[in-house]
Structures are given as structure tokens and as C-alpha cells.
């Protein structure tokens, strides 16, 4: 199942602080963004490793130069140390690829994954626009409805194609400024909330009534979002794929294709309850996207162990897919703060970049 939630537990309604984009952003500006901007002191660009850097010139090495920028090939040919000088593009194009499917409506405490996604987007988009960068988004809402099992193969094919068009793609073009951040938040708040699901025109009448009554649609297919983003983003950009990655298989190839041209950061949203179930006795768990329900005994240690094993397999498959695509992952939990997670991720990438640069310099020195 794409997503499970206990019928007596998770947060399902939108809290008041989520309802108004202006109040939502103003709260984050006072509590997170200003503090984070001060702590990073420009290091927010570490999130955008390798972006906007072009070789400008070569010159002879001087005493104050960073040895990491020595061009060893030129140095060997000319017998004099030379360093590379770079021209940095100060304007960054950033895109948020936002999975707003039904599984994001889950949260075991006071914060849903959907609200966590909005907090991340608001914080990072505002940090970027404060420095004159442009931000845009592709929203994927998951609004399709499956056609019945008795339908013909052709009807199912049409259903898939139409649902892909219906589900995926609201595009917010990249622009600058605080107003752009508010517009993005407004669209996030209006998209994918329970009760907004509509069936495709060709769906059977019973399925249309059931979809409208329950708000359940088809399972998420992230490959649709990634493929559409490939068409939309014309110039090289830094891209944040914000999702819980609870999707039908097959999206990793589309992610790899996207990573060939753009710098990608995967932002994985999750709730601790998705990784391990507590002993709650008998509960009903429900797939947030299909509506399928199971009555389970969480007092059964064997069941809880199988649940953990399934979560670990899903985790391992996700990490493998991201590793093969060469994509870093920022993990956001519903019981964690966005600011703290961004700081940890920035520091991790900075340390990794320094280690990689030091190792590369050492290898080249030894090769001489």
C-alpha cells in the first residue's frame, strides 16, 4: 500500500496556521528564515553545489591561492603552478517539484507531511528570493481515479493517459520576490487537500460518486512529475524534488535523466509512524490513496516486525535509486524542525565537498 494511517491517530485536517499563506510565511520569517539566513551567512549556496560555476581564466599560482584550484595538467605542461579562476553566476534558477498526493495528508502528531512540505518550500524559496534568485514549481496533485477491473484494456490505457494529464501538472513559472513565494504557497494549500479529488470524464458513474465521496484516487506515479518537469525546465537549474517517495516503481530512470542536466536534491518527507508501529492493540489502517482498509492487531509482535522489515526494504530501495541517480537526500520528519534539518544538510554537503577536494588534490600531487 502506498500509505497507511490509523483511523484514530493521524492528523487529517488543515490546521488554522496553514490556512493563510501570508500569516504562514510571516510566522516562518520570524521564527526560522531570519535566524537561518544569519546562521548560514551566505552558505545557503552550499545547497547548490557546483551550480552556476564557469571557468573564466588561468593564471600563475600566488601564495594566498587555494591549492584546490591548481590546474595540474597546465602546471605539468608549463612547469609553473597555475590556478583556475571561475565566474560564478549569482542568479540561480530553483525549481520545486512538489508531490501533493493524498499520502501527504498523514501526520501522527500535530504536523502533516503536507504542512512540512509547505514549510520547507516557504523557508528555502524565501531564502533564495531574498538574494535575488528565481523560484518556480511543478505541482503534482494525484487527482485521478482508477477505472474498474472489468473495463477493457483500451479503456484502462485511456484511463492511465488521461489520469496522468489530470493529475500532474500545474506549473508555476520561475519568478523573483516575496509575492512569488506567497503565490506558490497559495497553490500548495489549494492543491491536493482532501475532498478536492475529481474523477476523469470517462470514469464509470459509480467510481465518480465514490471518488467524490471519499477523496481517494490512483496511486502516485512520480515518473509523471519528473518527466513533465524535464519538458518545463529549459535552462539548467537546481531542483528540489519534495515527496514522501511512496510511489509506483519506475521513477528512478526519469530522475536519472533529470539529473544529467540539472542539480537535484531529493527532499524526503516522512513520519516516524511509517517506520515502526507502536503497540496500539486492534486498529484499522487505511491506504491514503486507494482507500483500502485493513483491521490489524498491533499487539502482535510478528506483525510489527514484518511492518518494520517492509519499511526497511522500502528505505533501502529508495536509497539505492537516489544513489544510482547521483542525488543527495535531505530527510525531513514530521517531528523535526525544517531549519535544523537544513543546517545539518548544508554542513554535511560542505564537509563532503571539502573532503572530496582534499582527496583530489592529494591524488594529483602523488601522481606527479
Amino acid at each position: 500500500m502506498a500509505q497507511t494511517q490509523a483511523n484514530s491517530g493521524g492528523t487529517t485536517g488543515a490546521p488554522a496556521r496553514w490556512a493563510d499563506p501570508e500569516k504562514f510565511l510571516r510566522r516562518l520569517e520570524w521564527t526560522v528564515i531570519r535566524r537561518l539566513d544569519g546562521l548560514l551567512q551566505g552558505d545557503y549556496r552550499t545547497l547548490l553545489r557546483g551550480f552556476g560555476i564557469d571557468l573564466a581564466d588561468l593564471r600563475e599560482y600566488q601564495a594566498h591561492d587555494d591549492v584546490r584550484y591548481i590546474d595540474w595538467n597546465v602546471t605539468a605542461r608549463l612547469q609553473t603552478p597555475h590556478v583556475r579562476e571561475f565566474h560564478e553566476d549569482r542568479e540561480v534558477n530553483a525549481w520545486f517539484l512538489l508531490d501533493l498526493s493524498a499520502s501527504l495528508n498523514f501526520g501522527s502528531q500535530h504536523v502533516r507531511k503536507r504542512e512540512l512540505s509547505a514549510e520547507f518550500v516557504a523557508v528555502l524559496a524565501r531564502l533564495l528570493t531574498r538574494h535575488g534568485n528565481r523560484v518556480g514549481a511543478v505541482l503534482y496533485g494525484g487527482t485521478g481515479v482508477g477505472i474498474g477491473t472489468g473495463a477493457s484494456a483500451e479503456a484502462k490505457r485511456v484511463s492511465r493517459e488521461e489520469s496522468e494529464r489530470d493529475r500532474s501538472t500545474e506549473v508555476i513559472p520561475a519568478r523573483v520576490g516575496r509575492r512569488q513565494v506567497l503565490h506558490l504557497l497559495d497553490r500548495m494549500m489549494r492543491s491536493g487537500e482532501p475532498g478536492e479529488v475529481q474523477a476523469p470524464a470517462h470514469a464509470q458513474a459509480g467510481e465518480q460518486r465514490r471518488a467524490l465521496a471519499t477523496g481517494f484516487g490512483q496511486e502516485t506515479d512520480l515518473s509523471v512529475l519528473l518527466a513533465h518537469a524535464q519538458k518545463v525546465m529549459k535552462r539548467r537549474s537546481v531542483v528540489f524534488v519534495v515527496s514522501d517517495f511512496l510511489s509506483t516503481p519506475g521513477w528512478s530512470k526519469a530522475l536519472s535523466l533529470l539529473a544529467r542536466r540539472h542539480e537535484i536534491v531529493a527532499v524526503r518527507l516522512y513520519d516516524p509512524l511509517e517506520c515502526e508501529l507502536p503497540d496500539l492493540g486492534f486498529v484499522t489502517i487505511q491506504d491514503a490513496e486507494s482507500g483500502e482498509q485493513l483491521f490489524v492487531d498491533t499487539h502482535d509482535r510478528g506483525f510489527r516486525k514484518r511492518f518494520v522489515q517492509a519499511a526497511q526494504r522500502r528505505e533501502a530501495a529508495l536509497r539505492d535509486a537516489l544513489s544510482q541517480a547521483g542525488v543527495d537526500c535531505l530527510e525531513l520528519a514530521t517531528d523535526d524542525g525544517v531549519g535544523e534539518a537544513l543546517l545539518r544538510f548544508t554542513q554535511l554537503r560542505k564537509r563532503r565537498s571539502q573532503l572530496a577536494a582534499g582527496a583530489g588534490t592529494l591524488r594529483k600531487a602523488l601522481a606527479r
Side-chain angles (χ1 to χ4, degrees):
M1 290 190 294
Q3 166 73 40
T4 58
Q5 67 183 68
N7 64 350
S8 60
T11 301
T12 56
R17 63 178 183 173
W18 159 256
D20 185 331
E22 174 62 41
K23 292 180 180 178
F24 186 79
L25 181 58
R26 191 183 306 145
R27 176 179 65 84
L28 289 172
E29 285 175 333
W30 280 102
T31 59
V32 181
I33 296 172
R34 292 187 181 186
R35 179 176 64 88
L36 193 60
D37 202 14
L39 289 171
L40 289 175
Q41 294 181 342
D43 274 354
Y44 76 96
R45 291 185 67 87
T46 306
L47 286 167
L48 321 178
R49 179 185 59 197
F51 181 83
I53 302 293
D54 294 314
L55 180 63
D57 199 5
L58 286 166
R59 61 172 175 79
E60 286 193 16
Y61 175 82
Q62 298 176 10
H64 59 80
D65 288 330
D66 191 329
V67 295
R68 291 179 297 173
Y69 299 135
I70 293 177
D71 189 315
W72 293 101
N73 292 328
V74 174
T75 298
R77 287 199 302 271
L78 301 180
Q79 298 299 305
T80 304
H82 278 68
V83 294
R84 297 185 295 266
E85 288 188 324
F86 296 96
H87 170 72
E88 184 175 15
D89 183 3
R90 292 291 177 180
E91 291 187 2
V92 173
N93 247 28
W95 284 84
F96 296 92
L97 308 190
L98 303 176
D99 170 15
L100 300 177
S101 55
S103 61
L104 265 69
N105 292 326
F106 178 70
S108 60
Q109 299 299 323
H110 301 295
V111 178
R112 300 176 301 163
K113 290 185 288 183
R114 182 178 301 280
E115 186 177 356
L116 184 65
S117 174
E119 287 192 9
F120 170 80
V121 170
V123 168
L124 195 53
R126 192 66 189 111
L127 280 174
L128 289 166
T129 56
R130 278 162 70 102
H131 294 274
N133 303 298
R134 301 196 302 170
V135 297
V138 181
L139 277 58
Y140 175 83
T143 59
V145 168
I147 196 162
T149 56
S152 67
E154 178 64 18
K156 291 180 179 179
R157 183 187 65 78
V158 173
S159 173
R160 285 194 300 270
E161 292 177 354
E162 185 168 333
S163 65
E164 286 176 358
R165 290 193 299 271
D166 290 343
R167 298 181 67 189
S168 59
T169 56
E170 179 181 355
V171 177
I172 300 176
R175 295 190 177 92
V176 299
R178 188 175 186 274
R179 182 175 297 181
Q180 170 75 347
V181 181
L182 288 172
H183 177 54
L184 205 163
L185 287 174
D186 180 67
R187 293 312 307 150
M188 288 185 71
M189 293 176 182
R190 293 173 183 270
S191 299
E193 286 289 352
E196 291 191 1
V197 175
Q198 294 182 355
H202 64 266
Q204 296 173 0
E207 289 166 334
Q208 290 178 335
R209 288 193 298 270
R210 184 166 64 253
L212 294 173
T214 64
F216 299 120
Q218 292 178 332
E219 291 184 357
T220 299
D221 186 356
L222 286 178
S223 62
V224 177
L225 170 63
L226 298 170
H228 189 78
Q230 182 86 308
K231 300 174 183 177
V232 169
M233 299 182 300
K234 300 302 182 183
R235 59 178 288 196
R236 187 168 181 264
S237 305
V238 59
V239 180
F240 298 92
V241 183
V242 187
S243 173
D244 54 12
F245 291 92
L246 299 175
S247 168
T248 55
W251 54 266
S252 57
K253 182 178 179 181
L255 183 65
S256 297
L257 290 173
L258 202 64
R260 291 180 184 178
R261 176 170 175 78
H262 306 281
E263 183 187 350
I264 311 293
V265 176
V267 183
R268 181 203 172 204
L269 312 169
Y270 73 97
D271 187 277
L273 202 61
E274 296 171 337
C275 305
E276 184 174 3
L277 279 179
D279 183 354
L280 299 173
F282 289 98
V283 296
T284 301
I285 60 176
Q286 178 173 278
D287 188 303
E289 297 188 347
S290 71
E292 180 183 357
Q293 294 183 345
L294 290 175
F295 187 63
V296 300
D297 180 9
T298 59
H299 185 64
D300 182 349
R301 292 183 180 179
F303 173 78
R304 296 204 307 274
K305 182 179 179 180
R306 292 192 298 275
F307 186 93
V308 170
Q309 289 172 344
Q312 290 173 343
R313 287 194 298 270
R314 186 173 64 237
E315 179 88 7
L318 173 61
R319 292 189 182 279
D320 286 345
L322 296 178
S323 177
Q324 289 174 10
V327 171
D328 283 345
C329 183
L330 189 166
E331 302 219 347
L332 285 179
T334 55
D335 61 353
D336 196 7
V338 170
E340 288 73 16
L342 274 170
L343 280 174
R344 288 196 303 268
F345 183 72
T346 303
Q347 291 163 359
L348 176 65
R349 294 195 82 172
K350 193 173 183 179
R351 287 197 300 269
R352 187 187 301 170
S353 178
Q354 291 169 345
L355 289 172
T361 302
L362 179 60
R363 283 196 300 270
K364 289 176 181 177
L366 291 174
R368 294 185 64 199

